[in-house]
């Protein structure tokens, strides 16, 4: 039995040349999956960073949230870490952000973020606390990653006060 090297059966049993299949594969690979401008666009990176911050609060992951901050450059890092730890330990958090267009460049940017938090106690069913405020967030590129270096007002993330 001799096999034919130049012909093969394609979808539906149709005979086709392997060379044609190779050209089709090369043509598919010739088109980039993501344009380089999208990957390096600062606005996209900053928006991803802030969306990651919101998602980390929803998943009650204080360590992931704080990992998005530049510990060395962020004034009040330890206080914010304590507040976020208390907030995620005692409350279920629904978090939503609407991010304005970042301003700045090339290494530091600032954006207005309309942030909504809905907090409910984890242990006792209690009233929903809703917080909404426009925050000013400053970010800086550290290596390949954007990090938060400024956040105002930082008290937005303070744990719930008794009676609130």
């Amino acid at each position: 039995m001799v096999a034919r090297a130049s012909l093969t059966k394609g979808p539906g049993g149709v005979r086709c040349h392997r060379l044609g299949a190779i050209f089709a594969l090369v043509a598919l690979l010739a088109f980039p999956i993501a344009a380089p401008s999208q990957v390096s666009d600062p606005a996209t990176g900053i928006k991803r960073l802030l969306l990651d911050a919101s998602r980390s609060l929803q998943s009650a992951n204080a360590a992931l949230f704080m990992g998005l901050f530049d510990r060395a450059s962020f004034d009040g890092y330890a206080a914010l870490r304590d507040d976020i730890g208390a907030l995620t330990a005692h409350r279920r958090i629904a978090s939503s952000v609407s991010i304005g267009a970042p301003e700045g460049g090339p290494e530091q940017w600032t954006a207005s973020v309309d942030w909504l938090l809905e907090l409910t106690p984890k242990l006792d069913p209690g009233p929903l606390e809703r917080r909404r405020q426009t925050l000013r967030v400053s970010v800086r590129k550290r290596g390949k990653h954007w990090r938060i270096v400024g956040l105002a007002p930082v008290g937005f993330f303070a744990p719930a006060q008794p009676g609130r």
Side-chain angles (χ1 to χ4, degrees):
M1 182 173 195
V2 177
R4 292 180 142 178
S6 62
L7 295 177
T8 186
K9 294 213 177 195
V14 177
R15 297 180 103 180
C16 62
H17 291 280
R18 283 194 185 163
L19 187 56
I22 291 172
F23 282 132
L25 181 60
V26 169
L28 285 174
L29 294 175
F31 293 101
I33 294 172
S37 62
Q38 292 175 338
V39 174
S40 63
D41 178 33
T44 301
I46 293 164
K47 288 178 180 181
R48 283 184 187 155
L49 171 73
L50 296 170
L51 289 170
D52 287 346
S54 179
R55 284 190 285 263
S56 66
L57 288 176
Q58 286 196 151
S59 63
N61 192 334
L64 180 60
F65 182 83
M66 293 308 299
L68 301 172
F69 287 78
D70 184 341
R71 179 183 293 202
S73 299
F74 187 83
D75 291 334
Y77 179 89
L80 179 62
R81 181 192 60 223
D82 294 344
D83 285 350
I84 292 295
L87 193 65
T88 56
H90 302 292
R91 300 283 187 257
R92 281 187 207 95
I93 303 170
S95 178
S96 172
V97 292
S98 177
I99 305 159
E103 304 164 346
E107 294 297 317
Q108 184 158 336
W109 294 74
T110 302
S112 293
V113 180
D114 181 12
W115 209 309
L116 173 65
L117 294 179
E118 291 182 345
L119 310 169
T120 54
K122 283 186 176 180
L123 299 178
D124 300 326
L128 171 73
E129 178 188 351
R130 199 172 262 142
R131 298 181 189 180
R132 184 176 188 175
Q133 192 164 358
T134 300
L135 305 177
R136 204 72 184 142
V137 181
S138 297
V139 299
R140 186 176 297 146
K141 190 111 181 203
R142 295 289 187 214
K144 294 182 179 182
H145 303 285
W146 292 99
R147 293 288 178 244
I148 299 170
V149 295
L151 176 72
V154 73
F156 179 73
F157 296 105
Q161 302 299 319
R164 272 182 98 179

